[in-house]
């Protein structure tokens, strides 16, 4: 999916991974319907989470530019929830997924970001 331009993947400190929608796969303006082009990426993330179960994923929804703060927050939340529900439908245990939207985002382009963090013992 990375080579096809469907997702951007970035390794972060602590073995965390950030997976982002791209211009090709992000949500249409004003929509919380997942684009079909992003489903293969979600299937790969779901497979990793189901197979290894040693990671959590935080789904962070981002709004479009424009609208009131409340409208932006609502849309960002809806987008994050749509991805969370899709991952649940793909068999990812609910205990591994959290979702939230952020109306005060630097990304006002309809994307969702998945932050995968390894589960570590403290």
């Amino acid at each position: 999916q990375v080579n096809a331009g469907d997702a951007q993947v970035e390794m972060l400190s602590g073995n965390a991974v950030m997976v982002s929608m791209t211009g090709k796969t992000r949500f249409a303006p004003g929509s919380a319907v997942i684009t079909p082009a992003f489903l293969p990426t979600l299937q790969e993330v779901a497979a990793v989470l189901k197979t290894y179960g040693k990671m959590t994923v935080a789904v962070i929804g981002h709004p479009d530019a424009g609208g009131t703060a409340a409208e932006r927050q609502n849309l960002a939340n809806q987008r994050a929830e749509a991805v969370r529900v899709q991952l649940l439908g793909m068999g990812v245990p609910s205990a591994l997924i959290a979702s939230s939207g952020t109306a005060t985002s630097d990304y006002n382009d309809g994307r969702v970001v998945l932050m995968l963090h390894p589960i570590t013992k403290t």
Side-chain angles (χ1 to χ4, degrees):
Q1 281 76 25
V2 171
N3 290 340
D6 296 340
Q8 293 175 333
V9 177
E10 184 179 340
M11 296 298 298
L12 305 173
S13 64
N15 294 320
V17 178
M18 181 174 73
V19 179
S20 298
M21 290 177 148
T22 65
K24 180 178 172 184
T25 57
R26 65 180 145 227
F27 288 92
S31 174
V33 177
I34 298 170
T35 59
F38 197 57
L39 291 176
T41 300
L42 290 178
Q43 289 169 335
E44 285 196 24
V45 169
V48 168
L49 292 169
K50 289 187 314 186
T51 300
Y52 301 105
K54 298 192 187 295
M55 297 191 94
T56 60
V57 61
V59 182
I60 305 163
H62 298 272
D64 298 329
T68 67
E71 290 168 339
R72 292 166 48 79
Q73 184 65 53
N74 188 45
L75 183 58
N77 287 341
Q78 289 174 349
R79 288 173 171 166
E81 183 64 8
V83 172
R84 186 186 77 81
V85 168
Q86 185 68 48
L87 289 171
L88 289 172
M90 293 175 171
V92 177
S94 62
L96 299 180
I97 310 170
S99 67
S100 65
T102 177
T104 56
S105 170
D106 290 337
Y107 302 116
N108 295 316
D109 59 3
R111 76 176 66 194
V112 165
V113 174
L114 308 174
M115 299 295 294
L116 289 87
H117 296 277
I119 297 172
T120 57
K121 294 182 181 181
T122 56

